Amino acid sequence: MASDVTAAPQSSGVSEISRDELLRRLHDSSLTIVDVLPQASYLEAHIPRAINIPLEQIQTHAREQLPDFAAEIAVYCGKFT
C-alpha cells in the first residue's frame, strides 16, 4: 500500500484505500480489514483487527466470515510497514 494512493474508484467498482487512510480508520468498526496472506504470514504479523482469509480460501470462506457484502472491506496482501 503506497502512502500516496488515494481512494479512487476502479473500473470494477472497487476503490483503493491509502495506507494513511487505513491508519486513520484502524479503530473504525464499520471497516472490516481482511488479510489474504497465508495463515503463517498472518500469525507472524498482521494489521490490528484484521481477519485472515487466505487468498486460496476466499471463494469458500468469504461468505461465512464476511456476511455483509455491503459493508466496507479493506483487503491487503502485503506487510503493513
Side-chain angles (χ1 to χ4, degrees):
M1 272 182 281
S3 61
D4 59 347
V5 176
T6 58
Q10 304 296 306
S11 60
S12 65
V14 175
S15 299
E16 290 185 15
I17 186 170
S18 70
R19 179 180 186 273
D20 292 337
E21 177 70 11
L22 187 55
L23 281 170
R24 281 191 295 277
R25 297 194 58 198
L26 280 180
H27 301 291
D28 180 349
S29 62
S30 70
L31 178 66
T32 301
I33 304 169
V34 179
D35 180 325
V36 295
L37 292 171
Q39 186 177 23
S41 297
Y42 174 83
L43 293 173
E44 184 179 311
H46 60 272
I47 295 174
R49 292 193 324 103
I51 62 171
N52 182 228
I53 309 175
L55 190 57
E56 64 275 359
Q57 296 176 9
I58 288 287
Q59 289 202 8
T60 57
H61 290 87
R63 288 212 183 271
E64 66 190 37
Q65 292 198 33
L66 304 168
D68 183 3
F69 280 10
E72 284 187 285
I73 301 169
V75 177
Y76 75 96
C77 60
K79 293 188 183 216
F80 193 62
T81 58

